[in-house]
Amino acid sequence: MLTQEHIKELEDKIGYCFKDKNLLKQALTHSSFVNEQRINKLPDYERLEFLGDAVLQLTTSDLLFRNYPEMREGELTRKRASLVCGASLARCAETIHLGQYILMGRGEETTGGRNKEHILADVMEAVIGAIHLDGGFERAIDFIHRFVLDDLEEKQAFRDNKTLLQEYVQREKGAVIQYVLVGESGPDHEREFMVEVRVNGKTVGQGMGKTKKSAEQQAAYKALLAAKGKE
């Protein structure tokens, strides 16, 4: 269950205190949890997700429009899509360990629901919608800039490194690429992961990150730099 301590802990992480705690609770409630409640059914996050997605799209569009005056409409659209896609939002959610706060049914939880990319992305958008309703557009924008659009250039740089490395490795027929978790450090709420990327069993790059996925991206980036240096 989501206790008052959990709510306070999450509010401290995101730097926003809800006046209406029920909005945050709704943003964290998956439909599987609602379906298990035979009495006093709660609303799930889907309506808040709808609202949060619209706020996120507008905020991202505004930032890109102002920061990239030379870009044409098509390129702006592609850049926005990459920043607010499910994978990107899930990585943002992982940095604040959002999955551990989600209310979900037993069945969903046993199948790894707390780590599912689409659920993490949906809840991230629902939290944006909840902040917008509770504190207004400016507070929602502040959250988006802090947790979704922070380090914009770095996120752009790392976004496709795993794909680029895969394409590079595939030049050699039969090459096998693996990402291996080799270490973890820090307390539970501030874990850092170390990942090695290996090609045919040989380590070609190593990365650190607050999530396994970001560590993999870092490792792929290092591998690409090393590969280009040898060309």
Side-chain angles (χ1 to χ4, degrees), residues 31-43:
S31 59
S32 63
F33 181 83
V34 173
N35 293 335
E36 287 187 0
Q37 303 303 301
R38 299 179 183 278
I39 304 174
N40 297 327
K41 282 198 172 184
L42 301 168

Side-chain angles (χ1 to χ4, degrees), residues 85-95 112 114-121 155 158-163 179-181 191-197 206-221:
C85 69
S88 294
L89 288 176
R91 286 196 294 273
C92 296
E94 287 173 343
T95 63
R114 293 188 187 281
N115 297 311
K116 288 181 180 178
E117 187 176 276
H118 73 277
I119 292 178
L120 290 173
K155 285 182 177 178
F158 287 112
R159 188 185 77 250
D160 292 327
N161 282 314
K162 288 181 68 175
T163 300
Y179 291 89
V180 181
L181 178 66
R191 298 297 281 174
E192 277 204 319
F193 300 90
M194 179 179 290
V195 168
E196 287 183 355
V197 56
Q206 190 177 79
M208 292 283 292
K210 292 182 179 180
T211 68
K212 293 175 185 177
K213 289 181 180 179
S214 64
E216 289 174 358
Q217 291 284 3
Q218 176 78 13
Y221 177 68

Side-chain angles (χ1 to χ4, degrees), residues 147-218:
F147 295 103
V148 181
L149 301 179
D150 60 314
D151 298 324
L152 183 61
E153 293 304 323
E154 182 179 351
K155 285 182 177 178
Q156 283 294 114
F158 287 112
R159 188 185 77 250
D160 292 327
N161 282 314
K162 288 181 68 175
T163 300
L164 292 172
L165 182 62
Q166 185 71 36
E167 293 172 352
Y168 183 86
V169 167
Q170 285 174 347
R171 296 178 186 178
E172 182 181 336
K173 289 185 178 180
V176 177
I177 187 169
Q178 295 175 293
Y179 291 89
V180 181
L181 178 66
V182 295
E184 298 181 34
S185 61
D188 289 342
H189 65 286
E190 290 183 358
R191 298 297 281 174
E192 277 204 319
F193 300 90
M194 179 179 290
V195 168
E196 287 183 355
V197 56
R198 301 171 184 174
V199 176
N200 294 333
K202 180 183 178 181
T203 299
V204 295
Q206 190 177 79
M208 292 283 292
K210 292 182 179 180
T211 68
K212 293 175 185 177
K213 289 181 180 179
S214 64
E216 289 174 358
Q217 291 284 3
Q218 176 78 13

Side-chain angles (χ1 to χ4, degrees), residues 11-45:
E11 288 178 330
D12 288 344
K13 285 183 180 181
I14 67 177
Y16 179 77
C17 182
F18 279 81
K19 295 184 288 290
D20 183 355
K21 307 297 183 185
N22 286 328
L23 279 172
L24 178 57
K25 190 171 183 179
Q26 181 182 347
L28 299 169
T29 301
H30 188 263
S31 59
S32 63
F33 181 83
V34 173
N35 293 335
E36 287 187 0
Q37 303 303 301
R38 299 179 183 278
I39 304 174
N40 297 327
K41 282 198 172 184
L42 301 168
D44 62 33
Y45 62 62

Side-chain angles (χ1 to χ4, degrees), residues 1-29 42 96-98 100-103 127 130-131 134:
M1 293 296 293
L2 191 65
T3 66
Q4 291 301 315
E5 288 76 15
H6 291 145
I7 290 174
K8 177 64 166 56
E9 185 178 272
L10 181 55
E11 288 178 330
D12 288 344
K13 285 183 180 181
I14 67 177
Y16 179 77
C17 182
F18 279 81
K19 295 184 288 290
D20 183 355
K21 307 297 183 185
N22 286 328
L23 279 172
L24 178 57
K25 190 171 183 179
Q26 181 182 347
L28 299 169
T29 301
L42 301 168
I96 55 175
H97 305 283
L98 195 58
Q100 71 185 45
Y101 301 101
I102 301 173
L103 292 169
V127 169
I131 293 174
D134 191 73

